[in-house]
């Protein structure tokens, strides 16, 4: 099933994160870190598959995405430097994630801006899927987000809170960041912090 594919992908992410010439440190915490890293990529690819996003995707790849695609290809040409290639995917997820947060904060009338951020989200997702496949990561493909509650639907207000928390964390204001986290938890949203940004989950 799909969860088996995902488990396999987490292990692949772990191994891809170390160069094939250097030994891998197979510890619980490293596997956990690989899991978080994979979730960051997976969650972004889910958000990028939302119908509104796909509908707005333009045929031309936005420059930040093409730069990272090139970086991925350079890494693979550089003696299969998979840690560098994976880092390029992390960066794509980061760009896409910022696009998603921006989309939530823009009004319908800000059409240019919406298009730009929707493109960053859609293209990042598409590239994570396409380039991930080159690395052997298959669980991004043919995955229909409809039947899953992974892509948590956040309200406009919650997305604003999320971006405010990111700002607070950037400026090392951890007290504010923590308060926002608690506020979201009270509303049934649990945040899991990953390299590519926080992933919201429904409280189980």
């Amino acid at each position: 099933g799909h969860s088996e594919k995902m488990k396999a992908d987490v292990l692949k992410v772990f191994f891809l994160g170390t160069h094939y010439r250097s030994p891998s440190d197979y510890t619980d915490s490293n596997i956990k870190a690989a899991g978080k890293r994979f979730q960051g990529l997976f969650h972004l690819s889910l958000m990028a598959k939302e119908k509104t996003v796909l509908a707005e995707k333009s045929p031309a790849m936005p420059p930040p995405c093409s730069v990272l695609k090139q970086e991925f290809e350079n890494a693979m040409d550089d003696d299969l430097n998979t840690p560098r290639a994976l880092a390029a995917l992390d960066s794509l997820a980061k760009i896409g994630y910022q696009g998603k947060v921006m989309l939530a904060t823009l009004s319908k009338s800000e059409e240019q801006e919406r298009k730009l951020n929707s493109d960053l989200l859609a293209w990042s997702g598409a590239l994570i899927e396409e380039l991930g496949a080159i690395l052997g990561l298959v669980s991004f493909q043919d995955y229909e987000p409809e039947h899953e509650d992974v892509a948590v639907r956040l309200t406009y207000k919650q997305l604003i809170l999320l971006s405010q928390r990111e700002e607070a964390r950037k400026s090392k204001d951890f007290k504010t960041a923590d308060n926002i986290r608690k506020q979201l938890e009270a509303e049934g949203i649990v945040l899991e912090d990953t390299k590519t940004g926080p992933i919201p989950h429904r409280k189980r």
Side-chain angles (χ1 to χ4, degrees), residues 5-203:
K5 269 190 198 165
M6 285 172 81
K7 279 191 194 118
D9 273 359
V10 169
L11 285 178
K12 286 176 195 162
V13 165
F14 165 70
F15 288 114
L16 292 164
T18 49
H19 198 267
Y20 73 89
R21 291 186 190 282
S22 56
S24 301
D25 221 358
Y26 195 90
T27 62
D28 274 354
S29 66
N30 283 349
I31 294 292
K32 215 172 231 160
K36 274 192 154 178
R37 198 170 180 182
F38 167 75
Q39 279 299 332
L41 297 172
F42 185 71
H43 192 258
L44 190 277
S45 84
L46 270 191
M47 292 193 297
K49 283 183 170 140
E50 287 173 7
K51 297 201 168 28
T52 49
V53 175
L54 291 175
E56 287 182 28
K57 182 184 178 200
S58 75
M61 195 186 299
C65 294
S66 42
V67 167
L68 286 166
K69 181 175 197 261
Q70 189 59 57
E71 162 59 18
F72 177 93
E73 284 162 3
N74 294 348
M76 294 304 278
D77 289 343
D78 172 22
D79 190 22
L80 288 181
N81 189 336
T82 56
R84 215 179 111 194
L86 200 55
L89 293 191
D90 285 341
S91 301
L92 276 168
K94 209 170 215 159
I95 287 179
Y97 195 84
Q98 283 161 353
K100 168 78 176 173
V101 172
M102 280 301 295
L103 273 178
T105 57
L106 292 166
S107 69
K108 284 271 181 274
S109 60
E110 295 170 277
E111 211 176 309
Q112 280 304 107
E113 285 287 291
R114 286 191 68 83
K115 189 121 196 50
L116 178 74
N117 286 289
S118 181
D119 260 2
L120 287 174
L121 174 55
W123 273 101
S124 297
L127 284 170
I128 284 171
E129 202 166 308
E130 177 194 328
L131 303 176
I134 295 172
L135 291 176
L137 302 171
V138 292
S139 50
F140 306 125
Q141 277 121 359
D142 338 307
Y143 187 70
E144 287 301 321
E146 273 74 75
H147 325 298
E148 284 277 328
D149 64 347
V150 196
V152 177
R153 297 266 173 261
L154 294 182
T155 63
Y156 179 75
K157 192 173 137 284
Q158 287 168 337
L159 274 157
I160 300 275
L161 280 174
L162 207 58
S163 56
Q164 284 170 350
R165 179 169 175 270
E166 282 303 277
E167 287 308 308
R169 287 177 63 198
K170 267 189 207 125
S171 53
K172 305 247 184 291
D173 175 5
F174 297 115
K175 192 164 182 249
T176 303
D178 207 44
N179 286 340
I180 293 177
R181 187 178 56 78
K182 285 182 185 139
Q183 193 177 338
L184 285 168
E185 252 174 53
E187 295 176 20
I189 305 289
V190 184
L191 295 181
E192 176 194 351
D193 289 308
T194 71
K195 262 191 188 153
T196 47
I199 300 178
H201 295 284
R202 289 238 172 279
K203 229 180 190 161

